[in-house]
């Protein structure tokens, strides 16, 4: 069965977009896509290396390019990068076949998960600036999302998955 929809998962770095999208694809017939991985394939190097060698602007252009390709497809569960949908108003590229699910996690949860990672923005921004970015972005995720999964500290991955699957089913009706 081919689903009519694509679901795009958005949220701040570390909110668990890729983990959730992968699990959803295992439980459904949606095909998993991760925009960060697609960009790494395109440049044939890692995201930190893309930022270092080509600059953030080229990375951002690639995000838009990938998104334009994905919206032409169907049956996808897409884990987006933290800014993929919100920079350059990219969410406007999505059509009626696309739904956005926002994972609304706290800054503390996200920060704990990313602080020791090699994400390029962590090199550039200190915790206070990151928090500021988080607050700014949360406002936009909230505006653009069709559905939201609120993650408080007690929400297990299993519960998050269950909520996501319910959301998806409801949208397919
Ligand atoms: C970014 C988030 C990252 C990745 C890149 C930039 C951002 O993805 O796209 O490092 O600007 O928020 P994750 O949200 O999957 O960490």
């Amino acid at each position: 069965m081919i689903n009519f929809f694509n679901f795009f998962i958005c949220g701040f770095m570390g909110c668990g977009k890729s983990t959730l999208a992968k699990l959803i694809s295992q439980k459904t017939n949606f095909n998993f896509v991760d925009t960060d991985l697609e960009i790494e394939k395109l440049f044939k190097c890692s995201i930190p290396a893309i930022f270092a060698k080509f600059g953030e602007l080229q990375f951002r252009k690639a995000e838009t390019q990938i998104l334009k390709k994905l919206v032409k497809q169907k049956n996808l569960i897409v884990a987006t990068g933290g800014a993929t949908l919100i920079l350059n108003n990219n969410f406007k590229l999505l059509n009626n076949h696309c739904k956005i699910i926002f994972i609304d996690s706290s800054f503390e949860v996200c920060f704990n998960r990313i602080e020791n990672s090699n994400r390029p923005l962590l090199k550039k921004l200190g915790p206070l600036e990151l928090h500021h970015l988080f607050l700014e972005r949360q406002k936009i995720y909230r505006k653009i999302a069709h559905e939201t999964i609120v993650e408080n500290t007690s929400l297990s991955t299993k519960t998050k998955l269950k909520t996501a699957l319910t959301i998806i089913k409801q949208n397919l009706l």
Side-chain angles (χ1 to χ4, degrees), residues 13 17 36 47 59-60 63 80-83 119-121 137:
M13 292 174 276
K17 301 177 291 277
D36 283 346
I47 287 177
F59 174 79
R60 299 302 178 193
E63 284 188 292
T80 62
R119 285 172 172 83
L121 288 195
R137 285 188 175 176

Side-chain angles (χ1 to χ4, degrees), residues 18-162:
S18 305
T19 309
L20 185 65
K22 245 182 245 163
L23 290 171
I24 292 171
S25 78
Q26 286 163 13
K27 294 276 175 196
T28 62
N29 60 354
F30 283 90
N31 298 314
F32 170 70
V33 177
D34 185 315
T35 56
D36 283 346
L37 295 180
E38 293 303 307
I39 294 170
E40 288 183 334
K41 274 190 231 160
L42 196 71
F43 284 86
K44 298 187 177 62
C45 61
S46 70
I47 287 177
I50 298 169
F51 271 67
K53 280 190 200 163
F54 304 98
E56 182 172 349
L57 192 64
Q58 291 309 314
F59 174 79
R60 299 302 178 193
K61 281 187 183 164
E63 284 188 292
T64 307
Q65 195 185 324
I66 299 283
L67 211 54
K68 281 184 181 165
K69 263 173 62 182
L70 295 178
V71 294
K72 292 187 191 140
Q73 300 177 38
K74 286 176 189 155
N75 221 36
L76 304 180
I77 178 80
V78 183
T80 62
T84 312
L85 293 178
I86 62 181
L87 277 188
N88 308 319
N89 278 335
N90 275 346
F91 68 92
K92 291 189 177 162
L93 295 170
L94 304 192
N95 53 35
N96 293 341
H97 301 213
C98 303
K99 295 275 177 187
I100 302 175
I101 303 176
F102 164 39
I103 307 182
D104 187 356
S105 305
S106 70
F107 180 68
E108 288 68 27
V109 167
C110 293
F111 189 70
N112 278 339
R113 289 184 187 142
I114 63 172
E115 64 177 329
N116 295 318
S117 74
N118 61 355
R119 285 172 172 83
L121 288 195
L122 286 167
K123 271 197 187 161
K124 211 167 90 174
L125 308 175
L128 273 179
E129 289 164 307
L130 262 185
H131 187 224
H132 183 72
L133 182 70
F134 173 85
L135 295 175
E136 286 304 308
R137 285 188 175 176
Q138 290 288 104
K139 282 188 227 160
I140 312 176
Y141 297 137
R142 273 192 198 115
K143 259 195 217 154
I144 66 170
H146 300 100
E147 303 282 354
T148 300
I149 298 172
V150 180
E151 184 189 40
N152 56 42
T153 43
S154 58
L155 204 63
S156 67
T157 307
K158 212 172 150 191
T159 315
K160 258 197 314 192
L161 175 63
K162 212 173 145 200

